[in-house]
Amino acid sequence: QDSGVRLEARAGIGLPTFDIADAAEIGPGGGVGVWYSPVDAHWTLGAEFDFGMHGGADMTDEGKTVSGPDVNVYHAMAKAGYTVISNPDSKISLVLNAGAGMVMFDVDAPGADMESYPAINAGGKLFYAVSPMIDFVLSLQGDISFTDKDVLGTDNAWVWPLAAGFSFRL
């Protein structure tokens, strides 16, 4: 019996883009999520938590190339999604989602504190049913945090959690 609840676990990469890419490199990451959708409904509600471990980007300091401080990024998002591709005869489904939450940046530098910023999210998830209760999932998410330019050097930081994993129906 499908309760409509899904638990998801993923691993992949965190891809910083635009101005934040000047401070942080691509790095490993992962995430978990919990989703609820009434059986046979096309909409879903969820909460996801992602993290990324990013090495500091290379910078030039007094003619020498040095690496900046490492940056850990934590994403906490509430989301709503809609199933745009689903067929009872197919093992594949596609959900598009959007949401809002917080992104936290933990810079490994002397005197630096973890900074939290409001953020929005948009993305998609491609599911492939490997059994009646387990799906393989590919997740592409884009998180935009509205940061403090004086702290991170940009007034918005775009980080893309890209991951694969499994979704378990309860």
Side-chain angles (χ1 to χ4, degrees), residues 65-151:
T65 301
V66 297
S67 289
D70 293 344
V71 181
N72 290 328
V73 181
Y74 306 95
H75 313 249
M77 298 285 170
K79 299 180 181 184
Y82 189 78
T83 304
V84 294
I85 298 175
S86 180
N87 181 335
D89 297 328
S90 175
K91 291 185 174 209
I92 295 175
S93 62
L94 175 66
V95 174
L96 299 181
N97 63 264
M102 297 294 287
V103 174
M104 289 124 318
F105 295 88
D106 187 11
V107 179
D108 186 19
D113 292 324
M114 183 182 297
E115 299 289 338
S116 299
Y117 301 100
I120 58 175
N121 162 274
K125 294 176 177 286
L126 181 66
F127 295 92
Y128 177 81
V130 293
S131 80
M133 300 304 275
I134 301 172
D135 293 333
F136 175 74
V137 61
L138 294 175
S139 178
L140 167 61
Q141 303 295 313
D143 292 352
I144 303 168
S145 54
F146 302 102
T147 58
D148 183 344
K149 189 170 184 92
D150 293 334
V151 175

